[in-house]
Amino acid sequence: MDEFKKYTILYIEDDEGVRTINSRFLNRMFNELYEAKDGQEGYELYKKYHPDIILTDIKMPRLDGISLSKKIREKDKTTKIIISTAFSEKNYLLDAIELNLEKYIIKPLTSRNLMPALTKAVDSLEKQKDFKIFLDENFYFDNNTSLFYFEDKVIDLTKKELLFLKLLTLNKDRVVSYEEIEQNIWEDEYMSLNSLRTSIGFLRKKIPFNCIKNISNMGYKLNLEKKL
């Protein structure tokens, strides 16, 4: 169970009594537990804390579990999402085929049905973390620490620089659009192109070689074919 303590979980359930009971169990299991009483509150907590795992009910006020998952999946393909559902709601999950859900659990939640789902999510997170992405022979991103290294020494980057380079690295085979950059890095702030270019200018001076390529009117991508 030590692996569970490395991760954070967001639990969304509109029934206060059920949420209280299950939160006690989850709080003992995970490093940090965030609780929400409906989908909209859950989405706000997701944006603020970026939990590793989301456990959500389907039928909730303001924003249901499927709609919440769709909003998250617009720009986040990796957070593990587990949905709890009543038998009568199984057809509702047909909408969720493309959402890359980790699992869905038939209510009521018990340790018998919850533990396998949580274990599967944590195992998947562990596998994701166990690799490095090399941008050059001695320049790499370590998914275990979420840091960049050159010759095994951490490259000192600001938060925005780190998030930007990580975003490009995790999507190294495609162009990352300006909209994605703004959503993932600037979040609720306004991102001007000048501020983006300024940040990238400082970043280029910190990395071993210029692997950041601008694609006109589209966004940015990694260029690892040659050192510019």
Side-chain angles (χ1 to χ4, degrees):
M1 299 301 173
D2 289 345
E3 288 82 5
F4 285 70
K5 283 294 184 182
K6 300 176 187 176
Y7 299 104
T8 58
I9 187 167
L10 167 62
Y11 177 39
I12 312 168
E13 168 61 63
D14 62 314
D15 186 312
E16 185 176 356
V18 172
R19 190 174 69 250
T20 299
I21 292 170
N22 291 324
S23 290
R24 290 174 188 155
F25 171 74
L26 294 170
N27 199 38
R28 291 195 302 269
M29 297 285 293
F30 288 89
N31 178 47
E32 193 74 56
L33 167 68
Y34 310 107
E35 296 179 54
K37 63 181 180 295
D38 59 55
Q40 186 58 45
E41 183 181 25
Y43 185 63
E44 295 304 318
L45 288 175
Y46 158 77
K47 289 195 298 180
K48 183 175 181 180
Y49 295 109
H50 296 286
D52 300 301
I53 301 170
I54 297 172
L55 172 60
T56 179
D57 190 16
I58 279 190
K59 289 188 175 178
M60 297 181 295
R62 298 207 289 168
L63 190 66
D64 65 80
I66 295 297
S67 299
L68 168 67
S69 300
K70 286 180 177 177
K71 281 173 72 71
I72 290 170
R73 285 293 183 248
E74 286 175 5
K75 56 183 181 181
D76 178 350
K77 309 298 183 186
T78 58
T79 297
K80 306 305 172 187
I81 301 176
I82 301 169
I83 283 188
S84 59
T85 173
F87 279 105
S88 60
E89 297 165 352
K90 285 176 92 171
N91 288 336
Y92 193 19
L93 286 170
L94 292 175
D95 262 350
I97 292 173
E98 301 300 322
L99 295 178
N100 189 27
L101 298 179
E102 197 66 22
K103 203 169 180 63
Y104 74 87
I105 307 173
I106 304 300
K107 287 185 172 182
L109 298 184
T110 65
S111 59
R112 180 173 293 182
N113 61 10
L114 187 53
M115 277 304 296
L118 293 174
T119 299
K120 182 174 184 288
V122 168
D123 285 347
S124 183
L125 286 165
E126 287 288 293
K127 288 176 183 175
Q128 280 181 11
K129 281 193 163 191
D130 190 26
F131 70 86
K132 298 175 181 177
I133 301 175
F134 282 84
L135 309 184
D136 191 35
E137 185 177 358
N138 296 306
F139 175 30
Y140 62 89
F141 172 70
D142 188 333
N143 218 8
N144 190 47
T145 60
S146 284
L147 296 171
F148 285 87
Y149 295 79
F150 179 60
E151 296 180 343
D152 294 327
K153 294 180 181 178
V154 175
I155 300 175
D156 186 19
L157 304 174
T158 67
K159 181 181 178 181
K160 279 189 170 66
E161 291 167 350
L162 178 59
L163 290 174
F164 174 76
L165 193 55
K166 179 180 177 181
L167 183 63
L168 262 59
T169 300
L170 295 180
N171 296 277
K172 60 187 178 67
D173 296 320
R174 68 178 182 89
V175 177
V176 178
S177 69
Y178 294 116
E179 183 181 14
E180 286 178 273
I181 294 167
E182 183 172 21
Q183 288 176 341
N184 283 276
I185 300 165
W186 267 255
E187 296 180 333
D188 296 328
E189 301 175 48
Y190 169 71
M191 181 194 79
S192 70
L193 288 180
N194 280 338
S195 64
L196 175 60
R197 291 189 189 108
T198 299
S199 294
I200 294 171
F202 284 118
L203 173 58
R204 282 178 168 140
K205 295 176 181 178
K206 296 181 180 181
I207 56 180
F209 67 97
N210 183 15
C211 57
I212 302 168
K213 183 177 182 181
N214 177 238
I215 308 300
S216 183
N217 299 319
M218 293 180 65
Y220 286 85
K221 74 181 296 291
L222 284 186
N223 183 359
L224 304 178
E225 296 177 2
K226 62 179 180 177
K227 298 184 181 182
L228 303 179

